[in-house]
Amino acid sequence: MFNNQLLSRILDIGEQMLISGAEISRVEDSISRMCIAYQVKRVDVLTITSVIQVSVHLENGEVFTQSRRIRAYATNLNKLDKLNKLSRNICSSLPDLEYIDKELEEINKEQPYSQYAHYLIYALVAGSFTIFFGGNMADGLASAMIGMLLKFLVNAAQKVDKNLLMINIFCSFAVGAVAIFAVQWGFGNNLEKILIGNIMLMIPGLALTTSIRDMISGDTISGLLRFSEAILLATSIALGFGLAEILFGGRLV
């Protein structure tokens, strides 16, 4: 029997899917399918980048409406895949609340990579892109070290402020300044190659791609909101690096 508790669990799944990087159409379709599987009369789902609202109409005339406010994103495609499988399982087997709670708890507890792995990934990505764009080995090593510093700064900034724009400005400014000093002191030769390697860690590529997918699939408002967010994030990154260039005398990229 469909009730408010079940709708809350379904919204929990949709919320986690959106936070993990799912496009709007996937979130709305999954929520609708899970509700319809429990033989409800009608489902209306409205999802934009920061809100999910669902209204469910039952055959006996009862109407349940709930919403979720999305305040932050944490892209995790492995988690998204498991949430997708859980939603399909719910549609096919109609489990009870206890089963859904247990599965959601298991999915939310999983940590895909340790912090050490994150630092290593940041170093590998920054160093590899620096060399890919024409830097030498010294540039790649400098970029890798600065990439690990960037990861440390992002972790520290997220504990103080959840505003992505401010975090991006602060981190890009600090990384830009360190890169300029590193080259001035002989640790690395090509400033622009080192900066490019670290900029690649910060650019909102997934947000931009998802915004285009949302617009193509007909979710124009959500797509435009995501697109605007991606442009603002990219601008904040450019602002941080630009300030470092102006204040510490490096060359403009």
Side-chain angles (χ1 to χ4, degrees), residues 7-252:
L7 177 58
S8 178
R9 303 306 190 279
I10 290 174
L11 260 176
D12 288 341
I13 296 172
E15 177 187 8
Q16 290 302 317
M17 291 176 76
L18 189 59
I19 290 173
S20 299
E23 58 272 36
I24 298 296
S25 57
R26 183 188 301 274
V27 174
E28 291 187 344
D29 184 62
S30 298
I31 291 174
S32 296
R33 286 177 183 274
M34 284 186 280
C35 292
I36 291 171
Y38 286 89
Q39 306 297 318
V40 302
K41 182 179 179 182
R42 174 177 170 175
V43 183
D44 295 311
V45 186
L46 172 64
T47 306
I48 56 176
T49 55
S50 56
V51 172
I52 304 174
Q53 181 169 316
V54 181
S55 291
V56 176
H57 300 250
L58 305 186
E59 292 289 351
N60 62 8
E62 283 188 280
V63 179
F64 300 119
T65 299
Q66 293 188 25
S67 62
R68 287 286 189 282
R69 176 76 164 90
I70 311 299
R71 299 186 182 279
Y73 294 93
T75 302
N76 186 336
L77 299 183
N78 181 54
K79 183 176 180 179
L80 177 58
D81 178 58
K82 292 183 177 180
L83 290 166
N84 264 326
K85 290 175 180 173
L86 175 59
S87 69
R88 293 193 192 101
N89 188 19
I90 290 173
C91 291
S92 60
S93 61
L94 304 181
D96 56 24
L97 290 177
E98 186 178 348
Y99 175 86
I100 298 174
D101 286 340
K102 183 181 176 184
E103 289 295 310
L104 262 178
E105 186 180 354
E106 290 296 319
I107 293 173
N108 287 328
K109 276 196 310 188
E110 287 188 15
Q111 296 291 333
Y113 300 109
S114 67
Q115 280 298 315
Y116 294 113
H118 277 123
Y119 280 101
L120 180 60
I121 291 169
Y122 267 62
L124 285 173
V125 171
S128 299
F129 271 114
T130 292
I131 294 174
F132 175 79
F133 285 112
N136 54 36
M137 288 303 295
D139 298 330
L141 182 59
S143 183
M145 298 295 289
I146 294 171
M148 287 194 285
L149 172 65
L150 172 60
K151 176 58 182 171
F152 172 79
L153 292 173
V154 169
N155 285 345
Q158 286 177 339
K159 294 177 182 176
V160 178
D161 192 348
K162 299 298 182 185
N163 188 319
L164 276 180
L165 292 178
M166 298 307 298
I167 291 174
N168 277 346
I169 292 173
F170 166 72
C171 291
S172 57
F173 173 78
V175 166
V178 170
I180 291 168
F181 290 135
V183 173
Q184 289 175 351
W185 294 339
F187 187 52
N189 302 310
N190 302 293
L191 174 62
E192 66 275 17
K193 309 300 182 189
I194 296 173
L195 291 180
I196 289 173
N198 284 276
I199 288 172
M200 295 301 290
L201 289 168
M202 303 180 70
I203 56 174
L206 184 60
L208 187 61
T209 305
T210 306
S211 72
I212 295 171
R213 290 183 62 177
D214 285 341
M215 284 189 276
I216 291 174
S217 61
D219 298 307
T220 309
I221 295 176
S222 298
L224 287 174
L225 288 172
R226 279 190 196 269
F227 184 78
S228 302
E229 182 183 350
I231 295 300
L232 285 174
L233 291 176
T235 304
S236 67
I237 294 167
L239 179 61
F241 280 109
L243 284 174
E245 294 277 358
I246 293 170
L247 293 177
F248 300 109
R251 293 175 299 168
L252 290 175

